[in-house]
Amino acid sequence: MISTKDITGLILAGGRAQRMGGIDKGLIPFHGKPLIESAITKLKPQVQTIMINANRNITKYASYGYPVIMDETPDFSGPLAGFSVGLKSCKTAYLLTSPCDSPLLPNNLAELLIAEMGRGDFQLVYASTKEADGKVWAQPVFCLMRSNLQDSLNQFLQKGDLKIDRWFKELHSSTVIFDDPQLFANVNTPEELNSLEEVSA
């Protein structure tokens, strides 16, 4: 059985945040504290150690006491670039990823993804959410993967493809459906930030 000691958490804070006017989203105040702090607080009990993937404000992120790793590809290449450096730096058997801008991250994310991983001996398991109308949406940046997937991801990226769902399809993967989509809500606009602050007050 996989335990938290087998997992490194990777917080993805390397995006460009164009819809927020290019602000570094991990440093945006949420209830008076940078969003990255919510991500650390939520993820810390679920993993052995944490890394932060960031491409700017490195000193600020490093002040939290965790390794900060930068994309090796230029131009803010998206979450797979973060996955790639995360896998390269990961010293545990598994890597659990989460974005910096989803402050309501489930406290049982690792637990449920671990359970699914063990059920089918999968290479990667990601979260999905079910809306009120019954529609299921993938939440692919919330995922637990084996740390030996670096070669697979590098080969995929070398083809010039950055679509996260296409890489997942090349793997033996599965998903866990969470009934509360609010837990995975992320901040893309000032309005969404205000809304999340209200529901988590």
Side-chain angles (χ1 to χ4, degrees), residues 4-181:
T4 55
K5 292 180 180 179
D6 302 317
I7 304 173
T8 297
L10 176 67
I11 299 173
L12 302 165
R16 191 176 276 159
Q18 288 172 305
R19 283 180 285 179
M20 287 290 282
I23 311 171
D24 194 336
K25 281 207 278 188
L27 302 177
I28 294 172
F30 178 76
H31 291 307
K33 295 180 179 179
L35 272 169
I36 188 72
E37 293 189 21
S38 295
I40 290 171
T41 300
K42 286 282 190 174
L43 207 56
K44 191 175 180 182
Q46 304 189 52
V47 297
Q48 169 69 18
T49 186
I50 286 174
M51 299 184 294
I52 299 171
N53 166 229
N55 292 310
R56 46 188 171 159
N57 296 306
I58 306 302
T59 305
K60 286 184 180 177
Y61 284 118
S63 70
Y64 291 101
Y66 299 105
V68 180
I69 52 177
M70 296 178 68
D71 292 352
E72 293 180 343
T73 49
D75 303 325
F76 298 89
S77 299
L80 286 184
F83 285 14
S84 178
V85 291
L87 287 169
K88 188 173 183 179
S89 305
C90 186
K91 301 290 195 296
T92 55
Y94 296 88
L95 183 71
L96 177 66
T97 65
S98 173
C100 66
D101 62 342
S102 295
L104 309 184
L105 171 75
N107 295 321
N108 62 349
L109 178 68
E111 177 188 342
L112 295 182
L113 296 183
I114 285 169
E116 181 65 16
M117 181 79 80
R119 249 192 296 275
D121 196 30
F122 295 105
Q123 294 173 291
L124 181 149
V125 176
Y126 61 94
S128 291
T129 52
K130 183 182 281 187
E131 300 292 333
D133 61 4
K135 188 161 185 178
V136 174
W137 293 90
Q139 304 287 348
V141 288
F142 299 86
C143 69
L144 178 68
M145 68 189 83
R146 296 180 185 270
S147 59
N148 62 5
L149 292 178
Q150 188 183 352
D151 288 345
S152 166
L153 180 53
N154 287 346
Q155 288 168 14
F156 179 81
L157 291 172
Q158 282 166 11
K159 295 187 286 189
D161 202 337
L162 296 172
K163 294 288 186 183
I164 197 167
D165 56 326
R166 289 185 193 158
W167 181 52
F168 286 8
K169 285 176 183 173
E170 293 187 1
L171 304 171
H172 183 43
S173 63
S174 183
T175 193
V176 174
I177 299 174
F178 290 77
D179 289 329
D180 185 0

